[in-house]
Amino acid sequence: MAWTERADSPRQAAIALGSNLGDCRATLEGALVELDASPGIRLLRRSAWYRSAPVGPPQPDYLNGCAVLEVLLSPEALLDRLLETETRFGRVRAERWGPRTLDLDLILLSDLRLDGERLQLPHPRMRERAFVLVPLAEIAPDWIDPLTGQSVAALARQLPDDGGLERLALQS
């Protein structure tokens, strides 16, 4: 199928969320609310939040999680929406893997494989990151990675460790 601004039928997208500046939980919750209210996007499931050690330069720990969305957008339009949401929540891109108020990564979009300059699907580093695979396995364990043919749950089990993740209780 050729993707345009809007897809002909809904597709499922998996996103990873992270924050380590400001009120991280409020930012992540707010981003999910905003995405769910966006035209062409509906929140289907979301994981618990996990505290994780940062990747990159010295900085505070992250709060991470994943969500599954139903989308009627092209991959590029969805990426644009994620980047716009990051900006609205104060994201400034100053240094690679540096601290941030909000990070939204498009991890999977149905079984689509893309290798563009701006967007790669599945996300090229998802298989290395416990802070992505553990929460994603919580909400989409049977989702098949189109590159390896393995389920998200199987990929999570293959990680050498859990990356020091701490699962946080959901607030009511």
Side-chain angles (χ1 to χ4, degrees):
M1 165 184 165
W3 289 83
T4 57
E5 178 66 21
R6 293 184 64 83
D8 294 332
S9 60
R11 304 279 189 231
Q12 288 197 7
I15 63 168
L17 302 91
S19 174
N20 73 340
L21 294 177
D23 186 342
C24 298
R25 189 181 294 250
T27 297
L28 295 171
E29 296 284 351
L32 287 176
V33 168
E34 185 167 313
L35 288 169
D36 190 42
S38 295
I41 298 176
R42 184 168 64 101
L43 176 65
L44 297 178
R45 293 181 299 285
R46 44 88 42 110
S47 72
W49 300 123
Y50 292 79
R51 186 175 321 285
S52 66
V55 173
Q59 57 189 297
D61 285 350
Y62 275 83
L63 204 57
N64 294 102
C66 286
V68 174
L69 310 173
E70 182 180 77
V71 297
L72 280 169
L73 301 173
S74 71
E76 292 79 9
L78 178 56
L79 177 62
D80 289 341
R81 187 77 51 85
L82 296 176
L83 295 173
E84 291 164 8
T85 303
E86 287 180 347
T87 300
R88 279 194 293 282
F89 280 87
R91 170 78 185 262
V92 176
R93 294 178 185 276
E95 124 184 74
R96 184 173 181 163
W97 294 328
R100 58 204 74 170
T101 56
L102 181 61
D103 186 36
L104 299 174
D105 287 330
L106 181 53
I107 303 300
L108 294 160
L109 183 57
S110 296
D111 61 353
L112 187 63
R113 294 170 62 165
L114 284 177
D115 191 19
E117 185 175 312
R118 190 167 172 250
L119 178 62
Q120 295 85 43
L121 287 172
H123 190 285
R125 290 174 296 285
M126 77 170 207
R127 289 167 218 82
E128 307 158 12
R129 295 181 169 166
F131 64 85
V132 171
L133 288 177
V134 171
L136 188 55
E138 178 185 320
I139 58 172
D142 298 326
W143 197 320
I144 301 299
D145 170 15
L147 290 183
T148 65
Q150 296 182 33
S151 71
V152 168
L155 292 170
R157 286 191 301 272
Q158 293 170 24
L159 291 168
D161 59 45
D162 66 4
L165 289 181
E166 173 191 357
R167 188 177 195 272
L168 304 178
L170 290 174
Q171 289 182 327
S172 49

